[in-house]
């Protein structure tokens, strides 16, 4: 099954779309922030929301790129990665609630 993002799969093949989106959003957010406010003061809250949304979107895109590039595609994959980190640190496994 082909994954979204241009090829999917781990190992860095399909996450570059997410990384490109993150980079574009952060650059646009920084440009908008540096440009500052111009125009009617009634639009300032809307402009601030747009700039904040660009930063939040860039963070989300970067997080998805990082997860996809490391081969994590589901919650089960994340749980397995967490268990591996705990084992590597020498921390005993958590008790399973049933």
């Amino acid at each position: 099954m082909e994954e979204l993002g241009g090829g999917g799969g781990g190992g860095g093949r399909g996450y570059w779309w997410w990384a490109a989106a993150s980079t574009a959003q952060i650059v646009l957010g920084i440009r908008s922030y540096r440009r500052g406010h111009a125009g009617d003061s009634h639009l300032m809250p809307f402009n601030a929301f747009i700039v904040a949304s660009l930063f939040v979107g860039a963070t989300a895109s970067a997080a998805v790129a990082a997860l996809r590039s490391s081969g994590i595609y589901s919650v089960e994959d994340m749980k397995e990665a967490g268990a591996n980190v705990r084992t590597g640190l020498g921390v005993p496994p958590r008790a399973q609630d049933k």
Side-chain angles (χ1 to χ4, degrees):
M1 178 165 120
E2 178 139 348
E3 297 289 332
L4 296 175
R13 292 182 306 181
Y15 75 96
W16 69 273
W17 282 105
W18 291 99
S22 175
T23 303
Q25 285 178 324
I26 198 73
V27 166
L28 191 57
I30 290 171
R31 264 186 73 206
S32 298
Y33 180 74
R34 284 187 177 171
R35 186 175 46 203
H37 173 67
D40 189 12
S41 64
H42 291 84
L43 296 177
M44 186 58 195
F46 182 67
N47 292 338
F49 176 76
I50 290 172
V51 172
S53 296
L54 286 170
F55 285 114
V56 170
T59 303
S61 297
V64 170
L67 289 173
R68 285 189 166 258
S69 68
S70 63
I72 296 175
Y73 295 101
S74 67
V75 174
E76 294 302 320
D77 293 340
M78 183 63 84
K79 288 179 181 178
E80 183 180 333
N84 291 340
V85 168
R86 291 178 65 85
T87 302
L89 293 174
V91 178
R94 291 185 175 201
Q96 297 293 321
D97 292 331
K98 292 185 180 184

